[in-house]
Amino acid sequence: MAESSSLAGKAAATPWRRRLDRWLPKFSLVPSGLASLIFVYGFIAWTIWLSLTSSTLLPTNNFAGLRQYEVLFQLDIWWVSVINLAIFGILYVAICLAIGLFLAIMLDQKIRTEGWLRTIYLYPLALSLVVTGVVWKWLLNPSLGLQHFVQSLGWTGFSFDWLINPNMAIYTVVIAAVWQAAGFVTALFLAGLRGIDSSIIKAAQIDGASLPRVYFSIIIPSLRPVFFSAIILLVSLAIKSFDLVIALTNGGPGYSTWLPAIFMYNFGFNRGQIGLGAAAATLMMAAVAIAMLPMLIAELKERRDGRTH
């Protein structure tokens, strides 16, 4: 009797235990979900609302429509920031892709020191952008860094003053940013190269295809998803760039290296124009969302094709 009652109790408890096992992981995600809903999406909605108000030093709820955006588009310093972002973003993405692909192809040749080289290439990624900015600020400082070192060797006519040249300062940001991210792109391409079926390459070589032809006709086209992911990640990083610029140039000389993130911070916090800063932040969020949209569409399409097949 005792044994049969025990079995009956276990059978009765089994449905509850199954429900508990099914719902407990979902309940454990509730706190993080609420935190994301409030502190991420809630603040995004609040930022958008502030961009539609007349907020200055303190937030207000006085609806002003698109007035802040009209003021924003009339400011020359905003368009300087946008142009700088275009220069920085295009060069940053293009150079990172070129260096990353080249280094990945070199590492894919099964060289002995591959492990050491991978560590060296990925080392900059372990440093914060602030540290990267400070180090490159020392290296590019005309009185302390590269120019001073070369002139001390006897080449007194050598000049490399990009850091203090308003027309060239934005390119120092490109140099530092590429140094930081090129190793990460290399790792992405190397993983993509290692995932290509070697039998396809061998078949092409048997057919008489040269090594450059194999890379340009087979290997590089096969890396299209890696290119796609790397471009989207780099574009989003470029749009959000802030700490590297602050540490390297602090937006100067003048405002020659301002980016939209620098504009948003200065107007929103330093100049007491919260509504204008929120408008800039909203446009940045829209730009990041547009950059991420192709990845989302591709993922949804892949899932739909997977279900179809």
Side-chain angles (χ1 to χ4, degrees), residues 95-117:
I95 297 175
C96 279
L97 291 176
I99 294 178
L101 180 61
F102 175 76
L103 294 179
I105 291 174
M106 294 298 102
L107 288 175
D108 195 44
Q109 307 306 312
K110 305 296 189 300
I111 57 179
R112 292 183 179 180
T113 57
E114 178 184 339
W116 288 96
L117 291 176

Side-chain angles (χ1 to χ4, degrees), residues 166-218:
N167 296 322
M168 303 299 295
I170 189 63
Y171 300 104
T172 64
V173 181
V174 175
I175 293 172
V178 168
W179 182 82
Q180 174 89 16
F184 171 68
V185 179
T186 300
L188 289 179
F189 278 121
L190 185 60
L193 288 171
R194 296 288 164 84
I196 297 176
D197 189 358
S198 59
S199 62
I200 300 176
I201 301 174
K202 291 179 181 178
Q205 291 176 336
I206 292 174
D207 289 340
S210 62
L211 188 59
R213 182 67 180 273
V214 169
Y215 270 99
F216 283 107
S217 300
I218 299 176

Side-chain angles (χ1 to χ4, degrees), residues 223-276:
L223 295 175
R224 187 180 304 170
V226 182
F227 275 100
F228 184 72
S229 300
I231 290 173
I232 291 177
L233 290 173
L234 291 173
V235 168
S236 63
L237 289 174
I239 294 171
K240 298 182 293 183
S241 294
F242 174 80
D243 38 7
L244 176 63
V245 181
I246 291 295
L248 180 59
T249 65
N250 198 25
Y255 52 86
S256 60
T257 56
W258 273 39
L259 297 176
I262 309 296
F263 179 97
M264 180 272 297
Y265 176 80
N266 274 275
F267 276 82
F269 297 97
N270 292 344
R271 304 191 184 190
Q273 298 290 330
I274 292 179
L276 198 60

Side-chain angles (χ1 to χ4, degrees), residues 33-177:
L34 287 176
S36 298
L37 184 64
I38 296 172
F39 296 105
V40 178
Y41 298 103
F43 285 164
I44 288 176
W46 191 48
T47 300
I48 296 173
W49 166 249
L50 287 177
S51 71
L52 300 174
T53 66
S54 58
S55 300
T56 53
L57 186 61
L58 294 175
T60 66
N61 291 322
N62 299 325
F63 183 73
L66 300 178
R67 176 59 183 165
Q68 299 289 3
Y69 295 93
E70 294 175 1
V71 174
L72 182 67
F73 292 145
Q74 291 172 2
L75 292 175
D76 291 338
I77 194 172
W78 167 253
W79 291 111
V80 169
S81 302
V82 172
I83 293 172
N84 283 339
L85 177 61
I87 295 172
F88 170 70
I90 292 172
L91 292 177
Y92 174 58
V93 172
I95 297 175
C96 279
L97 291 176
I99 294 178
L101 180 61
F102 175 76
L103 294 179
I105 291 174
M106 294 298 102
L107 288 175
D108 195 44
Q109 307 306 312
K110 305 296 189 300
I111 57 179
R112 292 183 179 180
T113 57
E114 178 184 339
W116 288 96
L117 291 176
R118 277 207 310 261
T119 303
I120 293 173
Y121 295 155
L122 289 174
Y123 173 73
L125 192 63
L127 301 177
S128 70
L129 290 170
V130 174
V131 173
T132 299
V134 171
V135 170
W136 279 97
K137 185 175 182 177
W138 290 340
L139 290 174
L140 299 177
N141 190 317
S143 59
L144 298 174
L146 179 64
Q147 177 176 302
H148 175 73
F149 174 73
V150 175
Q151 289 179 353
S152 67
L153 296 177
W155 286 284
T156 55
F158 178 80
S159 177
F160 194 81
D161 59 349
W162 287 12
L163 191 64
I164 60 175
N165 186 338
N167 296 322
M168 303 299 295
I170 189 63
Y171 300 104
T172 64
V173 181
V174 175
I175 293 172

